[in-house]
Short mmCIF file of all heavy atoms in Angstrom, two decimals:
data_model
loop_
_atom_site.label_atom_id
_atom_site.label_comp_id
_atom_site.label_asym_id
_atom_site.label_seq_id
_atom_site.Cartn_x
_atom_site.Cartn_y
_atom_site.Cartn_z
N VAL A 1 -3.04 16.01 6.61
CA VAL A 1 -3.84 14.85 6.20
C VAL A 1 -4.02 14.92 4.69
O VAL A 1 -4.13 16.01 4.12
CB VAL A 1 -5.22 14.84 6.91
CG1 VAL A 1 -6.10 13.75 6.34
CG2 VAL A 1 -5.04 14.66 8.41
N VAL A 2 -4.02 13.76 4.05
CA VAL A 2 -4.22 13.70 2.60
C VAL A 2 -5.62 13.16 2.31
O VAL A 2 -5.94 12.03 2.69
CB VAL A 2 -3.16 12.81 1.92
CG1 VAL A 2 -3.37 12.82 0.41
CG2 VAL A 2 -1.75 13.30 2.26
N ASP A 3 -6.44 13.97 1.70
CA ASP A 3 -7.77 13.53 1.29
C ASP A 3 -7.64 12.74 -0.01
O ASP A 3 -6.94 13.16 -0.94
CB ASP A 3 -8.67 14.75 1.08
CG ASP A 3 -10.12 14.37 0.87
OD1 ASP A 3 -10.50 13.25 1.28
OD2 ASP A 3 -10.86 15.18 0.30
N HIS A 4 -8.30 11.58 -0.08
CA HIS A 4 -8.18 10.74 -1.29
C HIS A 4 -9.39 9.84 -1.43
O HIS A 4 -10.14 9.62 -0.48
CB HIS A 4 -6.90 9.89 -1.24
CG HIS A 4 -6.88 8.92 -0.08
ND1 HIS A 4 -7.35 7.63 -0.20
CD2 HIS A 4 -6.43 9.06 1.19
CE1 HIS A 4 -7.20 7.02 0.97
NE2 HIS A 4 -6.65 7.86 1.82
N SER A 5 -9.58 9.33 -2.63
CA SER A 5 -10.67 8.39 -2.90
C SER A 5 -10.44 7.11 -2.10
O SER A 5 -9.33 6.58 -2.07
CB SER A 5 -10.72 8.04 -4.38
OG SER A 5 -10.80 9.20 -5.18
N VAL A 6 -11.50 6.63 -1.46
CA VAL A 6 -11.40 5.40 -0.67
C VAL A 6 -11.99 4.27 -1.50
O VAL A 6 -13.17 3.91 -1.37
CB VAL A 6 -12.12 5.54 0.68
CG1 VAL A 6 -11.95 4.28 1.52
CG2 VAL A 6 -11.60 6.75 1.43
N LEU A 7 -11.17 3.72 -2.38
CA LEU A 7 -11.60 2.67 -3.30
C LEU A 7 -10.53 1.58 -3.39
O LEU A 7 -9.34 1.87 -3.33
CB LEU A 7 -11.86 3.22 -4.70
CG LEU A 7 -13.03 4.18 -4.87
CD1 LEU A 7 -12.99 4.80 -6.27
CD2 LEU A 7 -14.35 3.45 -4.66
N THR A 8 -10.99 0.34 -3.52
CA THR A 8 -10.10 -0.79 -3.77
C THR A 8 -10.39 -1.30 -5.17
O THR A 8 -11.54 -1.55 -5.52
CB THR A 8 -10.34 -1.91 -2.75
OG1 THR A 8 -10.05 -1.42 -1.44
CG2 THR A 8 -9.45 -3.11 -3.04
N PHE A 9 -9.34 -1.46 -5.97
CA PHE A 9 -9.48 -1.86 -7.36
C PHE A 9 -9.08 -3.32 -7.53
O PHE A 9 -8.07 -3.76 -6.97
CB PHE A 9 -8.61 -0.99 -8.27
CG PHE A 9 -8.96 0.48 -8.20
CD1 PHE A 9 -8.33 1.31 -7.29
CD2 PHE A 9 -9.93 1.02 -9.03
CE1 PHE A 9 -8.64 2.65 -7.21
CE2 PHE A 9 -10.26 2.36 -8.96
CZ PHE A 9 -9.61 3.18 -8.04
N LEU A 10 -9.86 -4.04 -8.33
CA LEU A 10 -9.55 -5.43 -8.65
C LEU A 10 -9.06 -5.51 -10.10
O LEU A 10 -9.75 -5.08 -11.01
CB LEU A 10 -10.80 -6.32 -8.49
CG LEU A 10 -10.63 -7.78 -8.91
CD1 LEU A 10 -9.63 -8.51 -8.01
CD2 LEU A 10 -11.98 -8.50 -8.91
N LEU A 11 -7.86 -6.05 -10.28
CA LEU A 11 -7.30 -6.28 -11.61
C LEU A 11 -7.18 -7.77 -11.84
O LEU A 11 -6.77 -8.51 -10.93
CB LEU A 11 -5.91 -5.63 -11.73
CG LEU A 11 -5.80 -4.14 -11.43
CD1 LEU A 11 -4.35 -3.69 -11.58
CD2 LEU A 11 -6.70 -3.33 -12.34
N ASP A 12 -7.53 -8.22 -13.04
CA ASP A 12 -7.43 -9.64 -13.34
C ASP A 12 -6.01 -9.98 -13.80
O ASP A 12 -5.15 -9.09 -13.92
CB ASP A 12 -8.50 -10.06 -14.35
CG ASP A 12 -8.29 -9.51 -15.75
OD1 ASP A 12 -7.16 -9.11 -16.09
OD2 ASP A 12 -9.26 -9.49 -16.53
N PRO A 13 -5.70 -11.27 -14.06
CA PRO A 13 -4.34 -11.64 -14.45
C PRO A 13 -3.84 -11.01 -15.75
O PRO A 13 -2.63 -11.02 -16.02
CB PRO A 13 -4.42 -13.17 -14.58
CG PRO A 13 -5.50 -13.56 -13.62
CD PRO A 13 -6.52 -12.46 -13.75
N ASP A 14 -4.76 -10.45 -16.55
CA ASP A 14 -4.36 -9.75 -17.77
C ASP A 14 -4.12 -8.26 -17.52
O ASP A 14 -3.83 -7.51 -18.45
CB ASP A 14 -5.43 -9.90 -18.86
CG ASP A 14 -5.64 -11.35 -19.25
OD1 ASP A 14 -4.63 -12.08 -19.39
OD2 ASP A 14 -6.80 -11.77 -19.39
N GLY A 15 -4.26 -7.84 -16.26
CA GLY A 15 -4.08 -6.44 -15.91
C GLY A 15 -5.29 -5.59 -16.22
O GLY A 15 -5.21 -4.36 -16.17
N ILE A 16 -6.43 -6.24 -16.53
CA ILE A 16 -7.65 -5.50 -16.85
C ILE A 16 -8.42 -5.17 -15.57
O ILE A 16 -8.59 -6.02 -14.70
CB ILE A 16 -8.55 -6.32 -17.80
CG1 ILE A 16 -7.81 -6.64 -19.10
CG2 ILE A 16 -9.86 -5.58 -18.09
CD1 ILE A 16 -7.41 -5.43 -19.90
N PHE A 17 -8.89 -3.95 -15.49
CA PHE A 17 -9.69 -3.50 -14.36
C PHE A 17 -11.03 -4.23 -14.36
O PHE A 17 -11.79 -4.16 -15.33
CB PHE A 17 -9.89 -1.99 -14.48
CG PHE A 17 -10.83 -1.40 -13.47
CD1 PHE A 17 -10.51 -1.39 -12.13
CD2 PHE A 17 -12.02 -0.83 -13.87
CE1 PHE A 17 -11.36 -0.84 -11.19
CE2 PHE A 17 -12.88 -0.26 -12.95
CZ PHE A 17 -12.55 -0.27 -11.61
N ARG A 18 -11.30 -4.97 -13.30
CA ARG A 18 -12.52 -5.78 -13.22
C ARG A 18 -13.61 -5.18 -12.35
O ARG A 18 -14.79 -5.32 -12.62
CB ARG A 18 -12.18 -7.17 -12.68
CG ARG A 18 -11.54 -8.09 -13.70
CD ARG A 18 -12.60 -8.87 -14.42
NE ARG A 18 -12.05 -9.67 -15.50
CZ ARG A 18 -12.73 -10.62 -16.13
NH1 ARG A 18 -13.97 -10.87 -15.77
NH2 ARG A 18 -12.20 -11.28 -17.12
N ASP A 19 -13.21 -4.55 -11.26
CA ASP A 19 -14.22 -4.03 -10.33
C ASP A 19 -13.54 -3.06 -9.36
O ASP A 19 -12.32 -3.01 -9.27
CB ASP A 19 -14.87 -5.17 -9.54
CG ASP A 19 -16.34 -4.94 -9.29
OD1 ASP A 19 -16.75 -3.76 -9.24
OD2 ASP A 19 -17.09 -5.92 -9.13
N CYS A 20 -14.37 -2.29 -8.66
CA CYS A 20 -13.85 -1.47 -7.58
C CYS A 20 -14.84 -1.51 -6.43
O CYS A 20 -16.04 -1.70 -6.63
CB CYS A 20 -13.57 -0.04 -8.02
SG CYS A 20 -15.02 0.91 -8.48
N TYR A 21 -14.32 -1.35 -5.23
CA TYR A 21 -15.12 -1.53 -4.02
C TYR A 21 -14.97 -0.33 -3.11
O TYR A 21 -13.85 0.11 -2.83
CB TYR A 21 -14.68 -2.80 -3.28
CG TYR A 21 -14.61 -4.02 -4.17
CD1 TYR A 21 -13.39 -4.50 -4.64
CD2 TYR A 21 -15.78 -4.67 -4.57
CE1 TYR A 21 -13.34 -5.61 -5.47
CE2 TYR A 21 -15.74 -5.78 -5.40
CZ TYR A 21 -14.51 -6.24 -5.85
OH TYR A 21 -14.46 -7.33 -6.68
N GLY A 22 -16.09 0.19 -2.66
CA GLY A 22 -16.08 1.30 -1.73
C GLY A 22 -15.91 0.82 -0.30
O GLY A 22 -15.84 -0.39 -0.02
N SER A 23 -15.89 1.75 0.62
CA SER A 23 -15.63 1.42 2.02
C SER A 23 -16.78 0.68 2.68
O SER A 23 -16.61 0.09 3.75
CB SER A 23 -15.32 2.69 2.81
OG SER A 23 -16.39 3.62 2.70
N ALA A 24 -17.96 0.68 2.07
CA ALA A 24 -19.11 0.04 2.68
C ALA A 24 -19.08 -1.49 2.54
O ALA A 24 -19.77 -2.19 3.28
CB ALA A 24 -20.41 0.57 2.07
N ARG A 25 -18.28 -2.00 1.62
CA ARG A 25 -18.21 -3.45 1.42
C ARG A 25 -17.48 -4.12 2.59
O ARG A 25 -16.42 -3.67 3.01
CB ARG A 25 -17.47 -3.78 0.12
CG ARG A 25 -18.20 -3.41 -1.15
CD ARG A 25 -19.36 -4.35 -1.42
NE ARG A 25 -19.87 -4.14 -2.77
CZ ARG A 25 -19.57 -4.93 -3.79
NH1 ARG A 25 -18.77 -5.96 -3.64
NH2 ARG A 25 -20.09 -4.67 -4.99
N THR A 26 -18.04 -5.21 3.08
CA THR A 26 -17.36 -5.98 4.12
C THR A 26 -16.31 -6.88 3.48
O THR A 26 -16.30 -7.08 2.26
CB THR A 26 -18.35 -6.86 4.90
OG1 THR A 26 -18.89 -7.86 4.01
CG2 THR A 26 -19.49 -6.02 5.47
N ALA A 27 -15.43 -7.44 4.31
CA ALA A 27 -14.41 -8.36 3.80
C ALA A 27 -15.06 -9.57 3.15
O ALA A 27 -14.60 -10.06 2.10
CB ALA A 27 -13.49 -8.79 4.94
N GLU A 28 -16.15 -10.04 3.75
CA GLU A 28 -16.85 -11.21 3.20
C GLU A 28 -17.46 -10.90 1.84
O GLU A 28 -17.38 -11.71 0.91
CB GLU A 28 -17.93 -11.68 4.18
CG GLU A 28 -17.41 -12.30 5.47
CD GLU A 28 -16.82 -11.28 6.44
OE1 GLU A 28 -17.11 -10.06 6.30
OE2 GLU A 28 -16.07 -11.70 7.34
#
């Protein structure tokens, strides 16, 4: 098993990091 950070990253159209979301966030 590979242990890793459980994060989703949001990049804007300029490739700039805008936000990151942990596993507690719902799809909505």
